[in-house]
Amino acid sequence: MQPFNNQAVTKFSTQLISRLLLPQVATATLELIINKALALNNNKSLSFSAVAQKTLTLELAELPFTLCFTVNTTPNQTVVIVRSSTECSDCTINTSISTLNKLKANQSLTQLIKQDELDVIGDIKIAQQFANIAQSLEIDWQTELAKHLGDVPTHKLLQFGNKITKSLAATGKQVEADIGEYLVHEKRLVVTSSQLNAFNQKTKDVANKVNSLSARIDKLVANIANK
Amino acid sequence: MSSTDQNSPASDLSAPLNKPSDADTSADNESTTHFGYKTIEKDDKISMVAGVFHSVAKQYDVMNDLMSFGIHRLWKRFTIDASGVRPGNKVLDLAGGTGDLTAKFSQLVGREGKVVLADINSSMLNVGRDKLRDKGLVQNIEYVQANAEYLPFEENTFDIVTIAFGLRNVTDKDKALRSIYSVLKPGGRLLVLEFSKPENELLNKAYDFYSFNILPKMGELVAKDGASYQYLAESIRMHPDQETLKGMMENAGFEQTSFKNLTGGVVALHKGYKF
Ligand SMILES: C[S@@+](CC[C@H](N)C(=O)[O-])C[C@H]1O[C@@H](n2cnc3c(N)ncnc32)[C@H](O)[C@@H]1O
């Protein structure tokens, strides 16, 4: 019998996921949920200008595709567009859901970065600003849910929701504080594997650009020669 | 459009598949082209296609959701994901119709960028304009009535050109591809989202059955316009398959061309660059 080929299985499942357009299903669903939540925000002083047209990308080890979040603001509304792409990020966080759980358990961001469990490529301040906004949203779930569910189920649901919100808020604060600390004390000292990867990618990008340019120059030279 | 119209795309909705032979479909001659399965004078195609889209414009979005079970939204998302669009880009959404791609691009290019929604058909453009305005998308979108074969833009204008479910309706596809090439900036990319040839024979048969037996009846029932939907089904079968379209893009000058089959090849996204 053929040995179980892990790489082949991974390739097959990635292809299947892409064939079923699962990344697009996931991004469409997330986009809907996030924008519904934004529409319910009561904190009118919340400003999105720092992240306008900025893109934060999450690469989670458990997901075979990326999640990119871009904020678009107009005078009338703010929306978040969620995509699955590798081409468009201002800040990319490379981690796993289990690491995010460790963050909740108060392990520091700097530690996780040093242990190669969490990588940040690009402008880390963007991640900080996204975390800040997520924390500052004020949504009156009670009123909103009661409209649809009635008062008693809403009360029960909110008791449960409060627990989760508290834990999320704690994680958000931790991330924010850690990023601050990381920016001040650590950033210049650590070279992570994904920074190396990013460097390699940038080198490849430059090489591609040089190739495009040389193709263009060839074409121009040929055009001149033909005249 | 009633099925007794002179310009009716197809008069007998219950007709079996009678796709012209390959010899007929391989190449348009100087003066004729295809309108679904019919061979017609090239000069007549624009007005006949116009008839179809004037007729379906109001119901277009509802029918799109119904006919594709909503999957067209995912195909379009895939196109946006593959576009590499960035803030500040200039994007042309050609044959953009009711503006689904334009809406997303407008949010992604931001205030510094611009999206041009171009379509040959004023009814489709009007429905698109109203829909996008209702969504509050006004500040970076321009509407232009234009034929893909003769784009009224300067050379090297756009970072990205998309044409979604539009190319198969164009009379001279090669001319349109050359015209797109010219308006793209060096380094810019073209994305063609279009119905294509399913990879699997079984899927192909099921898809044929759906397209020719169910789709026109749905069109008749919901949009009161079975004939237009019969044309849509026929035009899909007459459209070049994946490899042929890739070759046509290369002939027009595009480089690093590739395609990705979606939903088993029912739809394909072709990509090509101008250098
Ligand atoms: C099936 S609709 C697609 C609309 C939209 N892109 C979408 O994906 O929903 C095809 C569109 O192509 C337009 N069209 C047909 N021939 C054209 C041409 N020669 N130049 C520009 N647009 C054309 C039609 O008016 C119609 O709006």
Side-chain angles (χ1 to χ4, degrees), chain A residues 18-19 24 27-28 31 53 72 74 77 82-84 87 212 216 219, chain B residues 77 81 86-87 104 107-108 110 135 139 181 186 189 199 255 260 275:
Chain A
S18 144
R19 268 168 184 259
Q24 285 68 37
T27 52
E31 192 174 290
Q53 298 313 134
N72 172 254
T74 65
Q77 60 177 358
V82 188
R83 283 176 288 166
S84 183
E87 290 185 83
S212 309
R216 175 119 185 93
K219 201 162 263 178
Chain B
R77 270 185 175 271
D81 290 351
R86 289 165 196 278
K104 271 272 170 319
Q107 291 171 330
L108 289 164
K135 285 186 173 180
Q139 52 179 355
Y181 185 86
R189 71 179 85 171
E199 298 157 289
E255 293 178 46
K260 176 108 177 90
F275 291 129

PDB file of all heavy atoms in Angstrom, chain A residues 18-19 24 27-28 31 53 72 74 77 82-84 87 212 216 219, chain B residues 77 81 86-87 104 107-108 110 135 139 181 186 189 199 255 260 275:
ATOM      1  N   SER A  18     -10.649  25.516  -2.534  1.00  0.00           N
ATOM      2  CA  SER A  18     -10.690  26.583  -3.521  1.00  0.00           C
ATOM      3  C   SER A  18     -11.792  26.309  -4.552  1.00  0.00           C
ATOM      4  O   SER A  18     -12.506  27.209  -4.984  1.00  0.00           O
ATOM      5  CB  SER A  18      -9.313  26.712  -4.153  1.00  0.00           C
ATOM      6  OG  SER A  18      -9.406  27.026  -5.491  1.00  0.00           O
ATOM      7  N   ARG A  19     -11.970  25.020  -4.935  1.00  0.00           N
ATOM      8  CA  ARG A  19     -13.016  24.675  -5.900  1.00  0.00           C
ATOM      9  C   ARG A  19     -14.410  24.981  -5.372  1.00  0.00           C
ATOM     10  O   ARG A  19     -15.291  25.392  -6.113  1.00  0.00           O
ATOM     11  CB  ARG A  19     -12.966  23.184  -6.216  1.00  0.00           C
ATOM     12  CG  ARG A  19     -12.114  22.905  -7.392  1.00  0.00           C
ATOM     13  CD  ARG A  19     -11.825  21.467  -7.560  1.00  0.00           C
ATOM     14  NE  ARG A  19     -10.930  21.331  -8.671  1.00  0.00           N
ATOM     15  CZ  ARG A  19     -11.317  20.954  -9.882  1.00  0.00           C
ATOM     16  NH1 ARG A  19     -12.550  20.618 -10.115  1.00  0.00           N
ATOM     17  NH2 ARG A  19     -10.442  20.886 -10.862  1.00  0.00           N
ATOM     18  N   GLN A  24     -14.346  32.447  -0.468  1.00  0.00           N
ATOM     19  CA  GLN A  24     -15.302  33.515  -0.796  1.00  0.00           C
ATOM     20  C   GLN A  24     -16.561  33.407   0.070  1.00  0.00           C
ATOM     21  O   GLN A  24     -17.136  34.419   0.449  1.00  0.00           O
ATOM     22  CB  GLN A  24     -15.661  33.449  -2.290  1.00  0.00           C
ATOM     23  CG  GLN A  24     -14.563  33.970  -3.222  1.00  0.00           C
ATOM     24  CD  GLN A  24     -13.319  33.100  -3.253  1.00  0.00           C
ATOM     25  OE1 GLN A  24     -13.417  31.875  -3.194  1.00  0.00           O
ATOM     26  NE2 GLN A  24     -12.156  33.718  -3.355  1.00  0.00           N
ATOM     27  N   THR A  27     -15.414  34.844   3.471  1.00  0.00           N
ATOM     28  CA  THR A  27     -15.235  36.305   3.507  1.00  0.00           C
ATOM     29  C   THR A  27     -16.586  37.017   3.386  1.00  0.00           C
ATOM     30  O   THR A  27     -16.815  38.033   4.039  1.00  0.00           O
ATOM     31  CB  THR A  27     -14.274  36.798   2.406  1.00  0.00           C
ATOM     32  OG1 THR A  27     -14.709  36.286   1.141  1.00  0.00           O
ATOM     33  CG2 THR A  27     -12.853  36.365   2.665  1.00  0.00           C
ATOM     34  N   ALA A  28     -17.482  36.443   2.570  1.00  0.00           N
ATOM     35  CA  ALA A  28     -18.807  37.077   2.424  1.00  0.00           C
ATOM     36  C   ALA A  28     -19.546  37.048   3.766  1.00  0.00           C
ATOM     37  O   ALA A  28     -20.166  38.034   4.171  1.00  0.00           O
ATOM     38  CB  ALA A  28     -19.630  36.357   1.360  1.00  0.00           C
ATOM     39  N   GLU A  31     -17.900  39.455   6.261  1.00  0.00           N
ATOM     40  CA  GLU A  31     -18.178  40.843   5.877  1.00  0.00           C
ATOM     41  C   GLU A  31     -19.573  41.263   6.340  1.00  0.00           C
ATOM     42  O   GLU A  31     -19.765  42.361   6.877  1.00  0.00           O
ATOM     43  CB  GLU A  31     -18.051  40.962   4.354  1.00  0.00           C
ATOM     44  CG  GLU A  31     -18.031  42.372   3.843  1.00  0.00           C
ATOM     45  CD  GLU A  31     -17.769  42.403   2.352  1.00  0.00           C
ATOM     46  OE1 GLU A  31     -16.633  42.097   1.928  1.00  0.00           O
ATOM     47  OE2 GLU A  31     -18.700  42.706   1.607  1.00  0.00           O
ATOM     48  N   GLN A  53      -8.876  52.960   4.184  1.00  0.00           N
ATOM     49  CA  GLN A  53      -8.227  52.285   3.036  1.00  0.00           C
ATOM     50  C   GLN A  53      -7.006  51.457   3.439  1.00  0.00           C
ATOM     51  O   GLN A  53      -6.194  51.089   2.603  1.00  0.00           O
ATOM     52  CB  GLN A  53      -7.828  53.280   1.935  1.00  0.00           C
ATOM     53  CG  GLN A  53      -8.970  54.038   1.304  1.00  0.00           C
ATOM     54  CD  GLN A  53     -10.195  53.221   0.889  1.00  0.00           C
ATOM     55  OE1 GLN A  53     -11.310  53.613   1.162  1.00  0.00           O
ATOM     56  NE2 GLN A  53      -9.994  52.084   0.255  1.00  0.00           N
ATOM     57  N   ASN A  72     -13.275  51.075   4.438  1.00  0.00           N
ATOM     58  CA  ASN A  72     -13.613  52.156   3.510  1.00  0.00           C
ATOM     59  C   ASN A  72     -14.527  53.135   4.225  1.00  0.00           C
ATOM     60  O   ASN A  72     -15.557  52.743   4.783  1.00  0.00           O
ATOM     61  CB  ASN A  72     -14.319  51.584   2.278  1.00  0.00           C
ATOM     62  CG  ASN A  72     -14.874  52.675   1.367  1.00  0.00           C
ATOM     63  OD1 ASN A  72     -16.072  52.902   1.320  1.00  0.00           O
ATOM     64  ND2 ASN A  72     -13.996  53.366   0.679  1.00  0.00           N
ATOM     65  N   THR A  74     -16.701  56.779   3.902  1.00  0.00           N
ATOM     66  CA  THR A  74     -17.224  57.894   3.109  1.00  0.00           C
ATOM     67  C   THR A  74     -17.938  58.797   4.110  1.00  0.00           C
ATOM     68  O   THR A  74     -18.135  58.394   5.266  1.00  0.00           O
ATOM     69  CB  THR A  74     -18.237  57.398   2.048  1.00  0.00           C
ATOM     70  OG1 THR A  74     -19.370  56.852   2.735  1.00  0.00           O
ATOM     71  CG2 THR A  74     -17.648  56.353   1.129  1.00  0.00           C
ATOM     72  N   GLN A  77     -20.910  56.651   5.493  1.00  0.00           N
ATOM     73  CA  GLN A  77     -20.824  55.352   6.156  1.00  0.00           C
ATOM     74  C   GLN A  77     -19.384  54.812   6.185  1.00  0.00           C
ATOM     75  O   GLN A  77     -18.526  55.263   5.431  1.00  0.00           O
ATOM     76  CB  GLN A  77     -21.706  54.332   5.431  1.00  0.00           C
ATOM     77  CG  GLN A  77     -21.308  54.122   3.980  1.00  0.00           C
ATOM     78  CD  GLN A  77     -22.142  53.044   3.289  1.00  0.00           C
ATOM     79  OE1 GLN A  77     -22.994  52.428   3.886  1.00  0.00           O
ATOM     80  NE2 GLN A  77     -21.874  52.822   2.009  1.00  0.00           N
ATOM     81  N   VAL A  82     -14.090  42.413   3.302  1.00  0.00           N
ATOM     82  CA  VAL A  82     -13.259  41.253   3.637  1.00  0.00           C
ATOM     83  C   VAL A  82     -12.960  40.489   2.353  1.00  0.00           C
ATOM     84  O   VAL A  82     -13.854  40.194   1.558  1.00  0.00           O
ATOM     85  CB  VAL A  82     -13.977  40.323   4.639  1.00  0.00           C
ATOM     86  CG1 VAL A  82     -13.034  39.244   5.122  1.00  0.00           C
ATOM     87  CG2 VAL A  82     -14.513  41.118   5.818  1.00  0.00           C
ATOM     88  N   ARG A  83     -11.665  40.216   2.138  1.00  0.00           N
ATOM     89  CA  ARG A  83     -11.246  39.493   0.930  1.00  0.00           C
ATOM     90  C   ARG A  83     -10.310  38.363   1.298  1.00  0.00           C
ATOM     91  O   ARG A  83      -9.813  38.294   2.430  1.00  0.00           O
ATOM     92  CB  ARG A  83     -10.441  40.440   0.022  1.00  0.00           C
ATOM     93  CG  ARG A  83     -11.249  41.397  -0.741  1.00  0.00           C
ATOM     94  CD  ARG A  83     -10.348  42.328  -1.521  1.00  0.00           C
ATOM     95  NE  ARG A  83      -9.639  43.287  -0.682  1.00  0.00           N
ATOM     96  CZ  ARG A  83      -8.614  44.018  -1.075  1.00  0.00           C
ATOM     97  NH1 ARG A  83      -8.140  43.896  -2.298  1.00  0.00           N
ATOM     98  NH2 ARG A  83      -8.039  44.881  -0.257  1.00  0.00           N
ATOM     99  N   SER A  84     -10.045  37.511   0.329  1.00  0.00           N
ATOM    100  CA  SER A  84      -9.008  36.514   0.535  1.00  0.00           C
ATOM    101  C   SER A  84      -7.974  36.716  -0.555  1.00  0.00           C
ATOM    102  O   SER A  84      -8.190  36.331  -1.698  1.00  0.00           O
ATOM    103  CB  SER A  84      -9.609  35.114   0.427  1.00  0.00           C
ATOM    104  OG  SER A  84      -8.614  34.175   0.689  1.00  0.00           O
ATOM    105  N   GLU A  87      -2.164  39.906  -1.977  1.00  0.00           N
ATOM    106  CA  GLU A  87      -1.460  40.953  -2.716  1.00  0.00           C
ATOM    107  C   GLU A  87      -1.576  42.344  -2.130  1.00  0.00           C
ATOM    108  O   GLU A  87      -1.013  43.261  -2.681  1.00  0.00           O
ATOM    109  CB  GLU A  87      -2.028  41.026  -4.150  1.00  0.00           C
ATOM    110  CG  GLU A  87      -1.690  39.854  -5.005  1.00  0.00           C
ATOM    111  CD  GLU A  87      -2.192  40.070  -6.411  1.00  0.00           C
ATOM    112  OE1 GLU A  87      -1.496  40.733  -7.189  1.00  0.00           O
ATOM    113  OE2 GLU A  87      -3.283  39.577  -6.724  1.00  0.00           O
ATOM    114  N   SER A 212       9.235  42.470 -15.733  1.00  0.00           N
ATOM    115  CA  SER A 212       8.205  43.193 -16.493  1.00  0.00           C
ATOM    116  C   SER A 212       8.840  44.350 -17.247  1.00  0.00           C
ATOM    117  O   SER A 212       8.558  44.582 -18.415  1.00  0.00           O
ATOM    118  CB  SER A 212       7.154  43.796 -15.582  1.00  0.00           C
ATOM    119  OG  SER A 212       6.682  42.861 -14.718  1.00  0.00           O
ATOM    120  N   ARG A 216       9.102  45.065 -21.150  1.00  0.00           N
ATOM    121  CA  ARG A 216       8.615  46.307 -21.754  1.00  0.00           C
ATOM    122  C   ARG A 216       9.711  46.963 -22.592  1.00  0.00           C
ATOM    123  O   ARG A 216       9.455  47.419 -23.699  1.00  0.00           O
ATOM    124  CB  ARG A 216       8.149  47.234 -20.629  1.00  0.00           C
ATOM    125  CG  ARG A 216       7.727  48.593 -21.016  1.00  0.00           C
ATOM    126  CD  ARG A 216       6.272  48.869 -20.657  1.00  0.00           C
ATOM    127  NE  ARG A 216       5.864  50.188 -21.156  1.00  0.00           N
ATOM    128  CZ  ARG A 216       5.293  50.367 -22.336  1.00  0.00           C
ATOM    129  NH1 ARG A 216       5.028  49.360 -23.129  1.00  0.00           N
ATOM    130  NH2 ARG A 216       4.964  51.586 -22.734  1.00  0.00           N
ATOM    131  N   LYS A 219      10.158  45.211 -25.774  1.00  0.00           N
ATOM    132  CA  LYS A 219       9.082  45.553 -26.704  1.00  0.00           C
ATOM    133  C   LYS A 219       9.342  46.913 -27.348  1.00  0.00           C
ATOM    134  O   LYS A 219       9.219  47.076 -28.551  1.00  0.00           O
ATOM    135  CB  LYS A 219       7.761  45.565 -25.943  1.00  0.00           C
ATOM    136  CG  LYS A 219       6.605  45.409 -26.843  1.00  0.00           C
ATOM    137  CD  LYS A 219       5.377  44.983 -26.098  1.00  0.00           C
ATOM    138  CE  LYS A 219       5.199  43.478 -26.199  1.00  0.00           C
ATOM    139  NZ  LYS A 219       4.046  43.020 -25.461  1.00  0.00           N
TER     140      LYS A 219
ATOM    141  N   ARG B  77     -16.677  37.702  -6.265  1.00  0.00           N
ATOM    142  CA  ARG B  77     -15.726  37.878  -5.157  1.00  0.00           C
ATOM    143  C   ARG B  77     -14.360  37.317  -5.544  1.00  0.00           C
ATOM    144  O   ARG B  77     -13.321  37.895  -5.250  1.00  0.00           O
ATOM    145  CB  ARG B  77     -16.209  37.146  -3.911  1.00  0.00           C
ATOM    146  CG  ARG B  77     -17.064  37.998  -3.061  1.00  0.00           C
ATOM    147  CD  ARG B  77     -17.433  37.331  -1.777  1.00  0.00           C
ATOM    148  NE  ARG B  77     -18.164  38.288  -0.988  1.00  0.00           N
ATOM    149  CZ  ARG B  77     -17.614  39.140  -0.143  1.00  0.00           C
ATOM    150  NH1 ARG B  77     -16.325  39.113   0.093  1.00  0.00           N
ATOM    151  NH2 ARG B  77     -18.335  40.021   0.486  1.00  0.00           N
ATOM    152  N   ASP B  81     -10.818  39.223  -5.587  1.00  0.00           N
ATOM    153  CA  ASP B  81      -9.650  38.697  -4.866  1.00  0.00           C
ATOM    154  C   ASP B  81      -8.446  38.562  -5.799  1.00  0.00           C
ATOM    155  O   ASP B  81      -7.303  38.712  -5.375  1.00  0.00           O
ATOM    156  CB  ASP B  81      -9.970  37.328  -4.238  1.00  0.00           C
ATOM    157  CG  ASP B  81     -10.954  37.448  -3.071  1.00  0.00           C
ATOM    158  OD1 ASP B  81     -11.236  38.585  -2.661  1.00  0.00           O
ATOM    159  OD2 ASP B  81     -11.435  36.409  -2.584  1.00  0.00           O
ATOM    160  N   ARG B  86      -5.674  48.037  -5.393  1.00  0.00           N
ATOM    161  CA  ARG B  86      -5.115  48.796  -4.270  1.00  0.00           C
ATOM    162  C   ARG B  86      -5.744  50.188  -4.213  1.00  0.00           C
ATOM    163  O   ARG B  86      -6.234  50.672  -5.239  1.00  0.00           O
ATOM    164  CB  ARG B  86      -3.607  49.015  -4.480  1.00  0.00           C
ATOM    165  CG  ARG B  86      -2.789  47.784  -4.316  1.00  0.00           C
ATOM    166  CD  ARG B  86      -1.399  47.998  -4.898  1.00  0.00           C
ATOM    167  NE  ARG B  86      -0.749  46.714  -5.069  1.00  0.00           N
ATOM    168  CZ  ARG B  86      -0.126  46.051  -4.107  1.00  0.00           C
ATOM    169  NH1 ARG B  86      -0.037  46.567  -2.907  1.00  0.00           N
ATOM    170  NH2 ARG B  86       0.428  44.876  -4.343  1.00  0.00           N
ATOM    171  N   PRO B  87      -5.652  50.822  -3.057  1.00  0.00           N
ATOM    172  CA  PRO B  87      -6.146  52.205  -2.974  1.00  0.00           C
ATOM    173  C   PRO B  87      -5.459  53.061  -4.036  1.00  0.00           C
ATOM    174  O   PRO B  87      -4.252  52.914  -4.270  1.00  0.00           O
ATOM    175  CB  PRO B  87      -5.730  52.646  -1.572  1.00  0.00           C
ATOM    176  CG  PRO B  87      -5.593  51.386  -0.796  1.00  0.00           C
ATOM    177  CD  PRO B  87      -5.153  50.343  -1.760  1.00  0.00           C
ATOM    178  N   LYS B 104     -17.776  47.012  -5.351  1.00  0.00           N
ATOM    179  CA  LYS B 104     -16.666  46.570  -4.498  1.00  0.00           C
ATOM    180  C   LYS B 104     -15.394  47.348  -4.820  1.00  0.00           C
ATOM    181  O   LYS B 104     -14.682  47.796  -3.920  1.00  0.00           O
ATOM    182  CB  LYS B 104     -16.403  45.075  -4.724  1.00  0.00           C
ATOM    183  CG  LYS B 104     -17.205  44.156  -3.821  1.00  0.00           C
ATOM    184  CD  LYS B 104     -16.435  43.937  -2.510  1.00  0.00           C
ATOM    185  CE  LYS B 104     -17.221  43.249  -1.432  1.00  0.00           C
ATOM    186  NZ  LYS B 104     -18.599  43.569  -1.203  1.00  0.00           N
ATOM    187  N   GLN B 107     -15.197  50.767  -3.285  1.00  0.00           N
ATOM    188  CA  GLN B 107     -14.833  50.802  -1.859  1.00  0.00           C
ATOM    189  C   GLN B 107     -13.350  50.506  -1.663  1.00  0.00           C
ATOM    190  O   GLN B 107     -12.741  50.979  -0.709  1.00  0.00           O
ATOM    191  CB  GLN B 107     -15.675  49.778  -1.098  1.00  0.00           C
ATOM    192  CG  GLN B 107     -17.140  50.184  -1.036  1.00  0.00           C
ATOM    193  CD  GLN B 107     -18.024  49.084  -0.474  1.00  0.00           C
ATOM    194  OE1 GLN B 107     -17.730  47.903  -0.625  1.00  0.00           O
ATOM    195  NE2 GLN B 107     -19.115  49.464   0.145  1.00  0.00           N
ATOM    196  N   LEU B 108     -12.772  49.729  -2.570  1.00  0.00           N
ATOM    197  CA  LEU B 108     -11.372  49.327  -2.368  1.00  0.00           C
ATOM    198  C   LEU B 108     -10.362  50.341  -2.910  1.00  0.00           C
ATOM    199  O   LEU B 108      -9.264  50.458  -2.382  1.00  0.00           O
ATOM    200  CB  LEU B 108     -11.134  47.950  -2.998  1.00  0.00           C
ATOM    201  CG  LEU B 108     -11.810  46.804  -2.226  1.00  0.00           C
ATOM    202  CD1 LEU B 108     -11.884  45.536  -3.068  1.00  0.00           C
ATOM    203  CD2 LEU B 108     -11.075  46.517  -0.918  1.00  0.00           C
ATOM    204  N   GLY B 110     -10.946  53.598  -2.984  1.00  0.00           N
ATOM    205  CA  GLY B 110     -11.054  54.771  -2.113  1.00  0.00           C
ATOM    206  C   GLY B 110     -11.131  56.079  -2.873  1.00  0.00           C
ATOM    207  O   GLY B 110     -11.277  56.104  -4.104  1.00  0.00           O
ATOM    208  N   LYS B 135     -26.793  52.733  -2.725  1.00  0.00           N
ATOM    209  CA  LYS B 135     -25.842  52.196  -1.745  1.00  0.00           C
ATOM    210  C   LYS B 135     -24.913  53.276  -1.208  1.00  0.00           C
ATOM    211  O   LYS B 135     -23.985  52.987  -0.451  1.00  0.00           O
ATOM    212  CB  LYS B 135     -24.957  51.129  -2.407  1.00  0.00           C
ATOM    213  CG  LYS B 135     -25.647  49.805  -2.643  1.00  0.00           C
ATOM    214  CD  LYS B 135     -24.637  48.793  -3.148  1.00  0.00           C
ATOM    215  CE  LYS B 135     -25.258  47.418  -3.227  1.00  0.00           C
ATOM    216  NZ  LYS B 135     -24.310  46.415  -3.706  1.00  0.00           N
ATOM    217  N   GLN B 139     -18.811  58.850  -4.911  1.00  0.00           N
ATOM    218  CA  GLN B 139     -17.724  59.814  -5.049  1.00  0.00           C
ATOM    219  C   GLN B 139     -16.641  59.452  -6.060  1.00  0.00           C
ATOM    220  O   GLN B 139     -15.958  60.331  -6.554  1.00  0.00           O
ATOM    221  CB  GLN B 139     -17.081  60.097  -3.698  1.00  0.00           C
ATOM    222  CG  GLN B 139     -16.662  58.834  -2.968  1.00  0.00           C
ATOM    223  CD  GLN B 139     -15.996  59.164  -1.649  1.00  0.00           C
ATOM    224  OE1 GLN B 139     -15.781  60.324  -1.353  1.00  0.00           O
ATOM    225  NE2 GLN B 139     -15.654  58.151  -0.891  1.00  0.00           N
ATOM    226  N   TYR B 181      -6.493  46.103 -24.306  1.00  0.00           N
ATOM    227  CA  TYR B 181      -5.034  46.110 -24.156  1.00  0.00           C
ATOM    228  C   TYR B 181      -4.513  47.548 -24.243  1.00  0.00           C
ATOM    229  O   TYR B 181      -3.660  47.966 -23.465  1.00  0.00           O
ATOM    230  CB  TYR B 181      -4.406  45.231 -25.246  1.00  0.00           C
ATOM    231  CG  TYR B 181      -2.918  45.074 -25.121  1.00  0.00           C
ATOM    232  CD1 TYR B 181      -2.376  44.085 -24.297  1.00  0.00           C
ATOM    233  CD2 TYR B 181      -2.045  45.918 -25.801  1.00  0.00           C
ATOM    234  CE1 TYR B 181      -1.011  43.944 -24.173  1.00  0.00           C
ATOM    235  CE2 TYR B 181      -0.680  45.783 -25.675  1.00  0.00           C
ATOM    236  CZ  TYR B 181      -0.159  44.796 -24.864  1.00  0.00           C
ATOM    237  OH  TYR B 181       1.200  44.661 -24.724  1.00  0.00           O
ATOM    238  N   PRO B 186       0.901  49.837 -18.769  1.00  0.00           N
ATOM    239  CA  PRO B 186       1.899  48.766 -18.679  1.00  0.00           C
ATOM    240  C   PRO B 186       1.959  48.273 -17.230  1.00  0.00           C
ATOM    241  O   PRO B 186       1.992  49.077 -16.301  1.00  0.00           O
ATOM    242  CB  PRO B 186       3.199  49.447 -19.078  1.00  0.00           C
ATOM    243  CG  PRO B 186       2.772  50.625 -19.889  1.00  0.00           C
ATOM    244  CD  PRO B 186       1.459  51.075 -19.325  1.00  0.00           C
ATOM    245  N   ARG B 189      -3.542  44.694 -15.445  1.00  0.00           N
ATOM    246  CA  ARG B 189      -4.045  43.344 -15.739  1.00  0.00           C
ATOM    247  C   ARG B 189      -5.517  43.343 -16.168  1.00  0.00           C
ATOM    248  O   ARG B 189      -6.295  44.196 -15.759  1.00  0.00           O
ATOM    249  CB  ARG B 189      -3.845  42.417 -14.546  1.00  0.00           C
ATOM    250  CG  ARG B 189      -4.711  42.659 -13.354  1.00  0.00           C
ATOM    251  CD  ARG B 189      -4.430  41.653 -12.250  1.00  0.00           C
ATOM    252  NE  ARG B 189      -3.322  42.056 -11.394  1.00  0.00           N
ATOM    253  CZ  ARG B 189      -2.975  41.450 -10.256  1.00  0.00           C
ATOM    254  NH1 ARG B 189      -3.614  40.394  -9.855  1.00  0.00           N
ATOM    255  NH2 ARG B 189      -1.976  41.880  -9.546  1.00  0.00           N
ATOM    256  N   GLU B 199     -15.472  20.952 -16.980  1.00  0.00           N
ATOM    257  CA  GLU B 199     -14.376  19.989 -17.169  1.00  0.00           C
ATOM    258  C   GLU B 199     -14.892  18.559 -17.281  1.00  0.00           C
ATOM    259  O   GLU B 199     -14.251  17.708 -17.859  1.00  0.00           O
ATOM    260  CB  GLU B 199     -13.436  20.044 -15.949  1.00  0.00           C
ATOM    261  CG  GLU B 199     -12.777  21.379 -15.740  1.00  0.00           C
ATOM    262  CD  GLU B 199     -12.348  21.566 -14.283  1.00  0.00           C
ATOM    263  OE1 GLU B 199     -13.223  21.740 -13.420  1.00  0.00           O
ATOM    264  OE2 GLU B 199     -11.136  21.533 -14.034  1.00  0.00           O
ATOM    265  N   GLU B 255       0.258  39.073 -21.841  1.00  0.00           N
ATOM    266  CA  GLU B 255       1.315  38.135 -21.442  1.00  0.00           C
ATOM    267  C   GLU B 255       0.989  37.535 -20.087  1.00  0.00           C
ATOM    268  O   GLU B 255       0.100  38.003 -19.382  1.00  0.00           O
ATOM    269  CB  GLU B 255       2.653  38.867 -21.412  1.00  0.00           C
ATOM    270  CG  GLU B 255       3.067  39.295 -22.828  1.00  0.00           C
ATOM    271  CD  GLU B 255       4.369  40.071 -22.851  1.00  0.00           C
ATOM    272  OE1 GLU B 255       5.330  39.657 -22.200  1.00  0.00           O
ATOM    273  OE2 GLU B 255       4.382  41.120 -23.517  1.00  0.00           O
ATOM    274  N   LYS B 260      -8.465  30.151 -14.422  1.00  0.00           N
ATOM    275  CA  LYS B 260      -8.825  29.297 -13.286  1.00  0.00           C
ATOM    276  C   LYS B 260     -10.283  28.906 -13.467  1.00  0.00           C
ATOM    277  O   LYS B 260     -11.138  29.764 -13.660  1.00  0.00           O
ATOM    278  CB  LYS B 260      -8.621  30.121 -12.006  1.00  0.00           C
ATOM    279  CG  LYS B 260      -9.030  29.446 -10.758  1.00  0.00           C
ATOM    280  CD  LYS B 260      -7.798  29.053  -9.942  1.00  0.00           C
ATOM    281  CE  LYS B 260      -8.169  28.438  -8.620  1.00  0.00           C
ATOM    282  NZ  LYS B 260      -8.362  27.086  -8.489  1.00  0.00           N
ATOM    283  N   PHE B 275       2.555  44.332 -20.608  1.00  0.00           N
ATOM    284  CA  PHE B 275       3.877  44.818 -20.161  1.00  0.00           C
ATOM    285  C   PHE B 275       4.428  45.860 -21.118  1.00  0.00           C
ATOM    286  O   PHE B 275       3.991  45.963 -22.247  1.00  0.00           O
ATOM    287  CB  PHE B 275       4.859  43.659 -20.045  1.00  0.00           C
ATOM    288  CG  PHE B 275       4.505  42.736 -18.893  1.00  0.00           C
ATOM    289  CD1 PHE B 275       4.396  41.372 -19.085  1.00  0.00           C
ATOM    290  CD2 PHE B 275       4.250  43.237 -17.630  1.00  0.00           C
ATOM    291  CE1 PHE B 275       4.071  40.523 -18.038  1.00  0.00           C
ATOM    292  CE2 PHE B 275       3.911  42.401 -16.579  1.00  0.00           C
ATOM    293  CZ  PHE B 275       3.819  41.031 -16.781  1.00  0.00           C
TER     294      PHE B 275
END
